[in-house]
Amino acid sequence: MIINTDLVKKGNQFPNQIIDFKKDVDKLYFTTSNNVVLQITIRRDSVLRFRYTTKGVFENDFSYAITKHAASGFNKLEITEDDVYYIVTTSKLICKIFKENLHISIFDAKDNELICEDELGFHWEESYEYGGDIVKLSKVSQEGESYFGLGDKSIPNNLKGKRFENWVTDSYSFGRNTDPLYKDIPFYTGLHHKKAYGIFFDNTFRSFFDFCQERRNVTSFWAQGGEMNYYFIYGPKMTDVVSSYTDLTGRPHQLPPLWALGYHQCKWSYYPESKVKQVAKTFRELKIPCDAIYLDIDYMDGFRCFTWNKEYFPNPKKMVKELADDGFKTIVIIDPGIKIDTDYPVFKEALEKDYFCKRADGPYMKGKVWPGDCYFPDFTNPEVREWWSNLFKELIEDIGVKGVWNDMNEPAVMEVPGKTFPNDVRHNYDGNYCSHRKAHNVYGMQMARATYHGLKKFSYPKRPFVITRAAYSGTQRYTSSWTGDNVASWEHLAIANAQAQRMCMSGFSFVGSDIGGFAEQPNGELYTRWIQLGVFHPFCRTHSSGDHGEQEPFSFDTNVTNIVRKFIEIRYQLLPYLYTSFWQYANEGIPILKSLMLFDQEDHHTHYRNDEFVYGDKILICPIIEPNAKGRRMYFPIGKWFSFWDAEVVNGGEEKWVDADIDSMPIYIKEGAIIPKYPIQQYVGEKVIEELTLDIYFKNGKEKSKVYEDASDGYDYKKGRFSLRNFTLVGKEDSLTIQQFKEGKYITSYNTFKIILHGLPFKIGSIEIDNEKMDMAKFNIEENSIIVSKEFTEIHIIGL
């Protein structure tokens, strides 16, 4: 008989001294006298993986976050030891492992400067309630160190002095300090002494991060189960850290269709069909560009997924086609809860195939969401994901829907404590059977993954478009995202700015907010200022709750409508610039939005700036986030910046006042930039692009720019049918040279560039194009522009 006095609840435990070391190709094993094993994997010269077990053996190595396409390999690996350390050296890093206690210190191999070191290091506490370990790790916060990232958090950029929880949560009407939110991205970047490194804690249990809140000079992270398993990623540039993390967890599997980067309109809910058509018609009548209209849960029959309400939408295929004929793509919502209804084919099939999640003792997991009582598919089961993907055939292939929006996939459950599944729900976890404690944070990711594969299959040969609310690290491979159910308030406008920046610096760039706020109703000024920010987010969508009135661009007064139209038109003009930025993100992991510290980490002032960001790599944005503002103070990074509106030049490195009445906002272009522009279109593909405008901003020095184009949809670009134009600008006091080198087999529809010159410090005497003098009568003095063949290799503009 076991009595309570026989049960021992052990406290914190720590590794003892190392008694054994062995090497297996790229894996190093250090075993301590109390049976702790540290496995260090050399992923790359700048990426090390640290994995600990307290049992002497490791569990099956499985992760939803790590992509099979991640780069691996290294140029150097040396292992030495002395009386105190084992020393692991790559071409980028020196890692010292203390023999006494398994503590880790990591140094820059070039200058031997300390980058990161353990404080208490790895330790653990046995979980009396659930079994297994609560795993912990603490590190020393270096002098002047700042912390950034961690995905969807609603506070200012610098995380120092704060503590966070990662547990994917339906956080309706969240606030500035609400935590946790809808996403779990356990990755952060540390920055000190002008060097950056990253930590990715790949553990899907409920986890916590403390950035010097509990103890002033200590940062720590821990999880309520699973392994202590983290990746150390060295820069020293912050952009390299984020790029390497994105390589590790995956870049988007393909570029989005260009229309997905247009403006989208959504509401809970547009119905019946006549209402949808009226909204679409008004956009076209008022000439406000728009590419997509969304249908929320009311398009369904009793909120049953993959059905249509025949009273509201008697002929959905006909409606979708008519919208498409007018340039609108139809996006529909799909939630995870499947209504318990034996006459409902989706429910019946899933029940027969045993695809629903179950409680520990066998009953199905039942919860209330929009349809009432529901069961929930186990998306961590590959067979279920395949079944789910096939359910999209009718929606996508037959009816013609172009995109799907996954909501409520935290998973959200109504009227229960915690607003989600109980901990005892069981999951397949791709054969690594577990409880909801482990699977919760990846449930939405796996639903989005299954949805993505369905759309990829049935949209072919076009590209899929999926949006998700819930996410874990790696979800960026499959979908875009938005920041959840925000509020129509000035505070939330500022929060949206911070969230988008933070998501981008956390590897997930295809993101935006509900423009104008989901809950409550914005006034015209707030909506205008939100549009001005939103058109510079990678995902651009107005969305609102139908309970609070209308929120289309034309729902306010004429002045608001005109200003909103102007800014949406700017987005459409800049589509080739945004598409190029997306190509760089998908190919190199470079964030589409760059907070100022990401853009210039060596300037310490940028570490505490929150509002300004760089869109792509050439356009500086600073939204107006207060009412009744006629302008604002903003910080300009080092260099010279041209006003987008009048080409006035501002010298960077300081904070300055910028005028910006309601019809304007601070937009600046980096000196030397070449910015491509399309003509204004009401939707992507409305016009054949007959000429590409290149706005060229003078720089006394050298600057490189790129323009990427392809067919804007489909997969031919993966076969080399793309156009990548590499421009090099070289400016001098009395001349400007522009060189072009083109890659790719795609032939654009236009044959000429319209080049508009900004900020030349000299009067033009002559222009040579590919060593031939141009007739100066062709120079447009009024616009400061010339028309040239798109095939030019060099333009030489010479001063008088």
Side-chain angles (χ1 to χ4, degrees), residues 448-485:
R449 176 187 182 184
T451 302
Y452 160 79
H453 282 294
L455 266 71
K456 186 176 183 182
K457 189 184 311 181
F458 297 116
S459 296
Y460 191 84
K462 302 300 184 183
R463 303 172 201 164
F465 176 61
V466 180
I467 319 166
T468 183
R469 190 168 74 175
Y472 182 71
S473 291
T475 310
Q476 69 271 4
R477 302 195 293 265
Y478 313 116
T479 75
S480 61
S481 187
W482 87 105
T483 55
D485 293 340

Side-chain angles (χ1 to χ4, degrees), residues 12-245:
N12 288 329
Q13 296 189 3
F14 298 83
N16 290 346
Q17 69 277 8
I18 296 173
I19 60 170
D20 185 52
F21 163 73
K22 69 175 182 178
K23 177 179 181 292
D24 181 10
V25 191
D26 59 349
K27 292 181 173 59
L28 315 177
Y29 296 87
F30 303 87
T31 304
T32 69
S33 60
N34 60 338
N35 212 30
V36 175
V37 181
L38 164 62
Q39 178 195 83
I40 301 179
T41 305
I42 318 301
R43 296 279 310 203
R44 295 166 61 185
D45 288 294
S46 59
V47 181
L48 307 179
R49 180 189 183 189
F50 297 88
R51 189 181 179 205
Y52 298 80
T53 177
T54 61
K55 303 183 292 291
V57 294
F58 289 97
E59 296 176 356
N60 183 40
D61 187 13
F62 176 78
S63 170
Y64 283 122
I66 306 301
T67 175
K68 64 183 180 181
H69 303 295
S72 60
F74 43 88
N75 297 311
K76 177 181 179 181
L77 177 58
E78 292 179 358
I79 300 113
T80 58
E81 64 174 303
D82 58 26
D83 292 340
V84 180
Y85 312 105
Y86 283 94
I87 304 167
V88 179
T89 303
T90 73
S91 64
K92 298 286 183 67
L93 297 170
I94 299 170
C95 177
K96 296 182 178 180
I97 303 98
F98 281 75
K99 292 182 174 181
E100 179 184 2
N101 54 17
L102 218 55
H103 281 194
I104 303 295
S105 295
I106 302 176
F107 301 82
D108 187 321
K110 289 186 178 180
D111 56 21
N112 212 33
E113 288 187 357
L114 178 66
I115 306 165
C116 182
E117 62 181 327
D118 284 354
E119 188 249 357
L120 293 177
F122 168 64
H123 50 292
W124 71 96
E125 180 180 330
E126 293 186 14
S127 175
Y128 177 72
E129 184 176 2
Y130 295 107
D133 295 331
I134 299 168
V135 292
K136 310 174 181 180
L137 195 136
S138 62
K139 292 183 175 292
V140 174
S141 180
Q142 303 299 319
E143 178 187 6
E145 186 160 9
S146 296
Y147 302 95
F148 306 96
L150 220 62
D152 192 8
K153 303 297 181 184
S154 58
I155 69 158
N157 283 331
N158 201 323
L159 304 173
K160 193 164 189 178
K162 304 290 195 301
R163 176 182 284 193
F164 303 95
E165 178 179 352
N166 277 358
W167 184 252
V168 175
T169 303
D170 178 6
S171 301
Y172 174 81
S173 188
F174 59 92
R176 170 64 80 182
N177 294 308
T178 301
D179 187 60
L181 295 177
Y182 298 93
K183 299 167 185 67
D184 173 13
I185 302 182
F187 163 69
Y188 71 86
T189 302
L191 176 60
H192 65 87
H193 298 98
K194 300 183 179 179
K195 293 184 177 182
Y197 69 90
I199 298 282
F200 171 43
F201 181 29
D202 189 10
N203 181 309
T204 63
F205 284 79
R206 189 188 297 261
S207 63
F208 300 83
F209 289 76
D210 186 295
F211 298 99
C212 308
Q213 185 191 69
E214 182 176 327
R215 289 184 289 162
R216 182 180 176 189
N217 297 315
V218 176
T219 184
S220 56
F221 47 93
W222 63 99
Q224 294 185 342
E227 287 185 342
M228 175 50 63
N229 170 34
Y230 75 94
Y231 294 80
F232 179 88
I233 304 167
Y234 186 44
K237 292 183 178 179
M238 192 172 172
T239 49
D240 292 335
V241 172
V242 176
S243 180
S244 292
Y245 162 78

Side-chain angles (χ1 to χ4, degrees), residues 522-536:
N523 61 22
E525 181 190 13
L526 175 58
Y527 183 75
T528 300
R529 291 303 195 189
W530 211 317
I531 276 283
Q532 290 172 354
L533 170 65
V535 297
F536 292 103

Side-chain angles (χ1 to χ4, degrees), residues 663-700:
D663 62 346
S664 181
M665 73 176 291
I667 306 172
Y668 287 83
I669 313 298
K670 184 181 179 184
E671 61 175 340
I674 297 178
I675 307 294
K677 286 182 179 177
Y678 283 159
I680 295 167
Q681 302 177 80
Q682 296 308 300
Y683 56 90
V684 168
E686 182 202 21
K687 297 178 180 177
V688 174
I689 308 301
E690 296 179 341
E691 187 169 79
L692 184 70
T693 297
L694 298 177
D695 276 321
I696 296 181
Y697 295 84
F698 180 82
K699 177 180 182 178
N700 193 346

